[in-house]
């Protein structure tokens, strides 16, 4: 089935469900994609805003810089584990409760970060920000409806993520680092517009049943262990082995649980779908490659090409913005190209980016590697998420998108660890 056919089927199903539930004809037209982009993309800038201002944050909180870096880790962890949880809530309760809860968490977490003089409270605020942002991202992805529209969201996500460190530094120097961590509040501007459309464009919710708390807990444990695994110190074999053991046990217990409850928090239809598994694993590989290049290329530019920090940072920013913007072209053309051709493009570009990073010594070629990496990852997020969602019945599509996003987010945990092991370890 083509992407166009899948989109038409999903729209027809959603329209029928809404008409049956409300007894009136829905207002025509999907949520304007720019509102969805505004809903989802500021969280990318918020996630990367602390990169250049960690020393200022540490001094303000009275802790070492290494300790202040936990604010970054807490955000990344909460974002990774919360996307599938919010998608599960959406599957059971619909979009409106998710929008309300996400907005409240984002606002409350931001106020806590802005007001708290203590690191523990700031950590709690960052986790709440990420959880709220995850719900808004899951909502935007569920309402996208097509790879072309998803491409706008994904490209915006990549561009704001690339600009996040510079934006955070500028806001910190002009006002305060706390303002830098508050940029995700811009998402709240889109809530009224998206909320008005939610009732008529929402994916059909699953039939009400007992909440699968055990499945949700097992998935959370597994996601947490996977996020922490690559960050175990290389010398601490006991710690690394313990993390790996937790991952193995969590996988085994979750697999047994899915067999016992095939319609639970992790539907068996997803686990058994080659289309979903292939899309998610390819997105994980491309995301891991991108985040590896993101952290490794600046060091490679210095070591191989003799670039200073300013030149490397400016060059990489241009490459990231360009690659993110160009990825929309792939998303827009994906329906015409077909599934096989799109995947061939993504795999080819991902492999080429990795090869350039390994062998290139000329600065512009290393920047091309960065461009190819972000193009592949951002394009995969746009196109493969829609393919993954199309692999299951309409009521399970929010869950499919949530689990797909978890795989993509795991690349953000694996990539920096790989870059550290291969390139940055001797820094």
């Amino acid at each position: 089935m083509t992407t166009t056919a899948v989109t038409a089927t999903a729209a027809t199903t959603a329209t029928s469900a809404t008409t049956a539930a409300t007894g009136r004809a829905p207002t025509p037209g999907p949520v304007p994609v720019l509102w969805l982009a505004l809903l989802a993309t500021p969280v990318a800038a918020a996630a990367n805003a602390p990169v250049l201002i960690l020393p200022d944050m540490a001094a303000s909180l009275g802790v070492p810089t290494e300790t202040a870096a936990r604010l970054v880790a807490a955000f990344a962890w909460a974002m990774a584990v919360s996307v599938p949880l919010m998608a599960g809530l959406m599957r059971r309760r619909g979009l409106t409760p998710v929008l309300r809860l996400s907005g409240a968490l984002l606002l409350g977490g931001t106020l806590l970060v802005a007001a708290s003089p203590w690191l523990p409270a700031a950590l709690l605020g960052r986790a709440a920000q990420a959880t709220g942002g995850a719900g808004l991202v899951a909502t935007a992805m569920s309402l996208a409806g097509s790879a072309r529209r998803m491409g706008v969201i994904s490209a915006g996500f990549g561009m704001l993520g690339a600009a996040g460190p510079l934006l955070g530094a500028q806001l910190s120097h002009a006002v305060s680092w706390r303002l830098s961590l508050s940029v995700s509040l811009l998402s709240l501007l889109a809530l009224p517009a998206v909320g008005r459309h939610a009732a008529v464009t929402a994916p059909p919710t699953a039939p009400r049943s007992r909440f699968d708390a055990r499945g949700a807990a097992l998935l959370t444990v597994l996601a947490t262990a996977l996020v922490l695994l690559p960050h175990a110190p290389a010398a601490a074999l006991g710690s690394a082995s313990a993390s790996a053991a937790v991952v193995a046990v969590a996988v085994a217990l979750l697999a047994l649980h899915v067999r016992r409850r095939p319609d639970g928090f992790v539907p068996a239809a997803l686990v058994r779908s080659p289309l979903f598994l292939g899309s998610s694993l390819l997105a994980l590989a491309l995301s891991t490659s991108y985040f590896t290049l993101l952290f490794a290329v600046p060091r490679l530019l210095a070591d191989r090409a003799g670039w200073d920090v300013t030149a490397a940072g400016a060059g990489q920013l241009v490459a990231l913005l360009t690659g993110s913007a160009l990825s929309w072209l792939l998303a827009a053309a994906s329906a015409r190209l077909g599934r096989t051709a799109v995947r061939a493009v993504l795999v080819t570009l991902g492999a080429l980016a990795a090869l350039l990073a390994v062998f290139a010594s000329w600065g512009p070629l290393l920047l091309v590697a960065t461009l190819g990496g972000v193009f592949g990852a951002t394009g995969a997020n746009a196109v493969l998420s829609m393919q993954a969602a199309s692999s299951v019945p309409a009521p399970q599509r929010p869950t499919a998108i949530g689990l797909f996003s978890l795989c993509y987010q795991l690349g953000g945990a694996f990539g920096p660890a790989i870059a550290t092991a291969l390139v940055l370890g001797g820094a």
Side-chain angles (χ1 to χ4, degrees):
M1 183 180 291
T2 65
T3 304
T4 303
V6 170
T7 304
T9 302
T12 301
T13 304
T15 300
S16 300
T18 303
T19 302
T22 63
R24 64 180 184 274
T27 303
V31 182
V33 70
L34 292 181
W35 284 121
L36 297 181
L38 179 59
L39 187 72
T41 56
V43 70
N48 294 342
V51 169
L52 300 178
I53 58 174
L54 277 176
D56 296 338
M57 295 163 56
S60 176
L61 294 170
V63 298
T65 301
E66 294 78 7
T67 303
R70 295 176 185 172
L71 290 167
V72 178
F75 194 97
W77 167 80
M79 188 78 184
V81 302
S82 296
V83 170
L85 293 176
M86 286 295 190
L89 176 62
M90 188 187 307
R91 177 188 171 196
R92 289 176 52 82
R93 301 293 183 181
L95 281 170
T96 300
V98 172
L99 283 172
R100 291 174 178 171
L101 176 60
S102 299
L105 286 170
L106 179 57
L107 178 59
T110 301
L111 291 176
L112 189 56
V113 170
S116 174
W118 306 292
L119 178 64
L123 286 171
L124 181 61
R126 284 293 277 172
Q129 281 183 316
T131 303
L136 299 181
V137 170
T139 299
M141 293 178 70
S142 295
L143 291 174
S146 71
R148 184 185 183 93
R149 284 161 54 84
M150 185 60 206
V152 176
I153 299 170
S154 187
F157 207 86
M159 294 174 71
L160 282 183
L166 181 60
L167 176 63
Q170 293 298 320
L171 291 176
S172 177
H173 294 155
V175 183
S176 167
W177 64 266
R178 297 179 187 274
L179 180 62
S180 302
L181 304 190
S182 303
V183 293
S184 54
L185 284 180
L186 292 173
S187 296
L188 299 182
L189 297 176
L191 278 181
V194 176
R196 285 194 297 269
H197 287 79
V200 297
T201 57
T205 56
R208 294 293 178 88
S209 60
R210 183 171 57 88
F211 177 65
D212 183 13
R214 181 176 299 177
L218 287 173
L219 180 65
T220 301
V221 170
L222 175 58
T224 302
L226 287 170
V227 168
L228 296 178
L229 178 60
H231 297 283
L237 295 179
S239 176
S241 299
S243 297
V246 172
V247 170
V249 171
V251 168
L253 291 177
L254 185 59
L256 290 173
H257 180 73
V258 169
R259 292 187 63 181
R260 287 195 300 265
R261 188 164 177 183
D263 60 343
F265 193 83
V266 180
L270 284 179
V271 179
R272 298 168 183 165
S273 169
L275 177 56
F276 174 80
L277 293 177
S279 300
S280 299
L281 292 177
L282 180 55
L284 171 60
L286 292 169
S287 174
T288 300
S289 175
Y290 160 57
F291 282 104
T292 302
L293 294 171
L294 183 66
F295 283 82
V297 165
R299 175 64 182 271
L300 295 177
L301 286 169
D303 292 348
R304 298 179 186 175
W307 289 25
D308 61 25
V309 173
T310 301
Q316 188 172 42
L317 177 61
V318 172
L320 291 172
L321 293 174
T322 303
S324 297
L326 289 177
S327 68
W328 180 81
L329 297 177
L330 178 65
S334 60
R336 295 191 303 272
L337 292 174
R339 184 182 302 162
T340 301
V342 167
R343 294 191 179 209
V345 170
L346 292 173
V347 171
T348 300
L349 285 177
L352 179 61
L355 288 173
L356 285 175
V358 172
F359 295 108
S361 57
W362 188 42
L365 282 181
L366 290 171
L367 292 180
V368 170
T370 299
L371 189 153
V374 71
F375 182 98
T378 307
N381 193 35
V383 180
L384 298 183
S385 61
M386 295 295 99
Q387 294 182 8
S390 71
S391 66
V392 293
Q396 294 180 341
R397 285 175 189 161
T399 300
I401 290 177
L403 295 176
F404 173 90
S405 298
L406 171 60
C407 291
Y408 183 88
Q409 294 287 339
L410 287 175
F414 297 159
I418 294 173
T420 299
L422 298 180
V423 178
L424 305 177

